[in-house]
Amino acid sequence: MRLRLRDERDEVVVLDKLTYAGRRENLQDFESDPRFSFLHGAIEDPVAVAAAMDGVDAVLNFAAETHVDRSILEPDAFVRTHALGTFVLLEAARERGVRFVQISTDEVYGSIAEGSFTESSPLDPSSPYSATKAGADLLVSSYRHTYATETLICRGSNNYGPYQYPEKLIPLMVLNALAGDRLPVYGDGQNVRNWLFVEDFATGIGHVLEHGVPGETYNIGGPDECANIDVVRRILELCGRDESLIDHVTDRPGHDRRYSLASEKVASLGWSASTRFDDGLERTVAWYRDNPWWWEPIRSGAYREYYQRQYGRSLERPAP
Ligand code: DAU
């Protein structure tokens, strides 16, 4: 949305429930832009959805419960948002003949030891998060087959960059490193992710919105893969800290070992990622370092309780 308002002449309506990770502060750059409007509401509420969809040409469903660890602790919100919410949006798109883009994830394919998943790889999700995202993808496809709704699906790999809530690996580790707190690495740290800078995902979704073939799915993967422990080491280096802050903690139950996407299909629409992981990570660390106004309120209050519950310890500096 940030890029579309800056680089295109789009008008954008944001419908957001503003749960724990949704923050009005993320939108403050556009609040006075006449091409932007904000509605506070849930995608599973047909009244809110009808208000948001009034007069639009396309709907992009970014709304999701995204965090795998939270889906293991409390799966109900994931079923509600991904199943019911996607259904309500699809119904509204069908009634209005509006193009519908579902923002999905590489996790619907499950883990892959070698090689990369293509769009025709079987779905094999392993957490309540990815299973409900896979269910939503199937529902989206059914609206193409059954009602001829103009649906498209974008499956992205691990995003990182500014404004990411610090429960995800990269912002969590950056903020802990800047503060001199412990960096909790799950298991042996050898799990591999395919890192995609957020602006590259945004331009990929824009390509699919404009040039994608209705009914098709497009993988949008990052240019580089990296094991978690190497991501963490690089962050420590960028923050001027040493590896004594690394804390190997109990592994995530059912932890997927490796994700990897083949993105030739979206490349054939003219898209490619422009940010390599090393550069994107450096930019991301700089953004968090320069914007404490954004993360300081998060690292206090409810977030500290979540951290205690998740890692079984407090968010504090290790004893010297
Ligand atoms: O692959 C795309 C997916 O990436 C998205 O669909 C999800 O919404 C998003 O949450 C993300 O899922 P991951 O589980 O891969 O991301 P997360 O940042 O939670 O974890 C990345 C890796 O780092 C994973 O192997 C688990 C590990 N990890 C994570 C945290 C939060 C740790 O070792 N320690 C941590 O404290």
Side-chain angles (χ1 to χ4, degrees):
M1 182 196 65
R2 195 170 291 277
L3 298 187
R4 299 295 295 194
L5 284 171
R6 193 190 68 194
D7 301 338
E8 314 288 334
R9 298 309 298 163
D10 292 357
E11 290 177 30
V12 177
V13 180
V14 169
L15 172 66
D16 197 320
K17 198 174 176 180
L18 295 180
T19 55
Y20 74 95
R23 301 173 71 213
R24 212 48 205 265
E25 291 93 315
N26 296 351
L27 307 169
Q28 68 180 22
D29 297 356
F30 329 108
E31 297 282 2
S32 59
D33 189 327
R35 292 179 296 130
F36 168 79
S37 53
F38 177 81
L39 291 174
H40 185 199
I43 59 165
E44 63 268 22
D45 174 0
V47 176
V49 167
M53 275 215 206
D54 192 25
V56 306
D57 303 314
V59 57
L60 290 91
N61 182 19
F62 286 94
E65 294 289 339
T66 66
H67 201 47
V68 175
D69 296 317
R70 287 185 190 255
S71 85
I72 294 166
L73 293 171
E74 292 160 359
D76 26 338
F78 291 73
V79 177
R80 191 179 320 112
T81 302
H82 301 164
L84 184 57
T86 305
F87 162 71
V88 171
L89 283 177
L90 281 166
E91 276 295 292
R94 172 172 83 89
E95 281 164 19
R96 292 163 180 76
V98 162
R99 179 169 276 224
F100 184 98
V101 182
Q102 174 74 357
I103 313 306
S104 184
T105 167
D106 58 3
E107 295 199 23
V108 297
Y109 299 116
S111 189
I112 188 166
E114 283 172 11
S116 301
F117 290 118
T118 70
E119 291 80 357
S120 51
S121 299
L123 301 187
D124 188 18
S126 43
S127 69
Y129 162 69
S130 51
T132 50
K133 287 298 285 183
D137 283 9
L138 295 175
L139 193 62
V140 170
S141 299
S142 81
Y143 271 63
R144 177 68 190 162
H145 292 292
T146 312
Y147 306 113
T149 306
E150 282 196 16
T151 63
L152 295 139
I153 298 173
C154 297
R155 295 192 177 132
S157 60
N158 278 64
N159 274 224
Y160 69 101
Y163 300 100
Q164 190 173 34
Y165 194 78
E167 61 187 355
K168 307 290 185 215
L169 179 76
I170 289 181
L172 175 76
M173 299 298 167
V174 171
L175 295 186
N176 284 16
L178 290 175
D181 293 331
R182 295 185 185 93
L183 277 66
V185 173
Y186 296 162
D188 62 6
Q190 293 302 327
N191 303 67
V192 172
R193 296 293 183 263
N194 183 188
W195 294 101
L196 176 64
F197 193 62
V198 60
E199 289 183 6
D200 280 332
F201 193 34
T203 59
I205 294 166
H207 268 74
V208 171
L209 170 68
E210 286 172 26
H211 310 298
V213 177
E216 294 293 318
T217 294
Y218 296 86
N219 289 345
I220 306 179
D224 297 296
E225 294 184 10
C226 196
N228 294 339
I229 192 71
D230 295 326
V231 175
V232 169
R233 287 189 180 125
R234 180 84 184 108
I235 289 171
L236 285 167
E237 209 180 296
L238 288 166
C239 296
R241 301 283 185 185
D242 67 52
E243 293 186 17
S244 63
L245 290 180
I246 295 176
D247 194 4
H248 284 275
V249 299
T250 311
D251 209 354
R252 171 187 281 171
H255 195 175
D256 285 336
R257 197 67 172 164
R258 175 172 173 265
Y259 299 138
S260 181
L261 286 181
S263 305
E264 280 79 8
K265 194 168 163 184
V266 69
S268 74
L269 300 180
W271 176 85
S272 62
S274 61
T275 305
R276 299 298 302 264
F277 186 52
D278 266 355
D279 295 342
L281 192 57
E282 205 172 324
R283 281 168 67 184
T284 303
V285 170
W287 188 87
Y288 282 93
R289 184 186 283 124
D290 295 344
N291 289 282
W293 68 271
W294 186 85
W295 50 260
E296 268 169 356
I298 302 176
R299 296 237 323 161
S300 57
Y303 179 74
R304 300 191 86 83
E305 285 160 36
Y306 164 76
Y307 195 93
Q308 172 77 45
R309 192 159 47 110
Q310 180 61 37
Y311 299 109
R313 64 193 56 179
S314 66
L315 179 59
E316 277 167 2
R317 286 159 203 271

